[in-house]
Amino acid sequence: MSEQAQFELFAFWRSSAAFRVRVALNLKGLSAHEQNIDLDAGEQRSAEFLKISPLGSIPALVAKGHEPLTQSLAILEFLDELQPSPPLLPSDLYGRARVRSIASMCAADTHPMVVPRVKKYLQTTGGFDDAAWRAWQIRWLGTGLAAVEERLAGAPETGTFCHGDEPTMADICLASIVAVTRVFKIAIPDVPTIDRIMATCDQHPAFMKADPKRQAGAPG
């Protein structure tokens, strides 16, 4: 670990979950030295990495002298408690529940459908070819984002961002799913509220810095 960095972050350039942690670190002004785990090369299944993340999942965040932290939502909550300002959750009880709900719609309901281990299983056991896998991605990314759009559109709590006028955990998780659609060139129609919120996120330095295409290992 770099002497200047506060954490070691095990990640991969296009990982939606790693994107979430990058954005949170950027928002909080915290530093991490990033270690690339090449999902395409299967490095997540190495014996060395499985000691850090037993499921072989990324990201993993490590602070010197502490057990590795895994699961992006848990890491976001950890970072929010570690560095409370700016907050990733609203101050009121119902607001926090709403933000966590939207975040989970993205990170727990939508993202797991399109992760590499699902692709590997479907292509090796389920008989999927590349066209079938792309149709699967479009179906589940589209379903997830349509549900989030329905939750956001017209809700009085929705502001410049998913909840109010400052980015929260909900925006981080929503942007992480949209980042996946962009990497794989999948257009999701009829989500005007999401499109508006994402246009704002795209101009925010914390999100811009975390963009998958700006990370080491991303295609030129």
Side-chain angles (χ1 to χ4, degrees):
M1 184 185 302
S2 167
E3 291 183 5
Q4 291 76 31
Q6 295 158 276
F7 299 99
E8 198 89 35
L9 176 63
F10 294 84
F12 186 54
W13 70 270
R14 70 162 188 264
S15 165
S16 177
F19 172 93
R20 292 169 210 144
V21 175
R22 288 193 197 102
V23 174
L25 289 166
N26 294 340
L27 284 169
K28 300 291 187 179
L30 299 171
S31 60
H33 175 260
E34 192 160 320
Q35 292 276 10
N36 185 59
I37 301 296
D38 190 335
L39 300 183
D40 294 331
E43 291 180 357
Q44 71 275 23
R45 295 186 293 274
S46 69
E48 181 180 3
F49 185 65
L50 289 174
K51 292 178 182 177
I52 296 169
S53 177
L55 273 176
S57 60
I58 57 173
L61 189 71
V62 181
K64 188 175 181 180
H66 293 274
E67 181 181 359
L69 301 174
T70 60
Q71 304 303 319
S72 63
L73 292 181
I75 294 172
L76 296 189
E77 297 258 9
F78 164 79
L79 293 174
D80 206 32
E81 292 184 29
L82 175 70
Q83 176 58 269
S85 181
L88 300 183
L89 292 167
S91 59
D92 64 293
L93 178 65
Y94 283 94
R96 290 194 298 275
R98 180 175 185 266
V99 165
R100 286 185 173 113
S101 174
I102 296 167
S104 293
M105 290 173 74
C106 298
D109 289 333
T110 303
H111 178 226
M113 300 297 291
V114 296
V115 295
R117 62 179 177 271
V118 170
K119 177 182 181 181
K120 181 180 179 182
Y121 180 85
L122 291 175
Q123 292 192 324
T124 58
T125 304
F128 274 42
D129 59 13
D130 288 343
W133 170 245
R134 183 167 180 81
W136 174 279
Q137 289 177 300
I138 293 170
R139 165 68 183 273
W140 294 114
L141 289 168
T143 297
L145 289 176
V148 173
E149 174 70 23
E150 184 174 351
R151 172 65 62 82
L152 295 174
E157 298 87 354
T158 302
T160 305
F161 293 95
C162 290
H163 191 91
D165 296 325
E166 298 296 333
T168 66
M169 188 182 298
D171 303 284
I172 292 173
C173 292
L174 174 59
S176 76
I177 299 302
V178 173
V180 170
T181 68
R182 292 172 175 175
V183 167
F184 292 107
K185 296 180 172 57
I186 294 172
I188 305 298
D190 303 321
V191 287
T193 312
I194 290 175
D195 290 341
R196 174 182 63 75
I197 291 169
M198 282 306 306
T200 303
C201 290
D202 287 342
Q203 299 302 313
H204 194 294
F207 289 81
M208 293 170 65
K209 187 178 177 183
D211 189 311
K213 294 180 181 177
R214 294 179 177 228
Q215 308 311 309

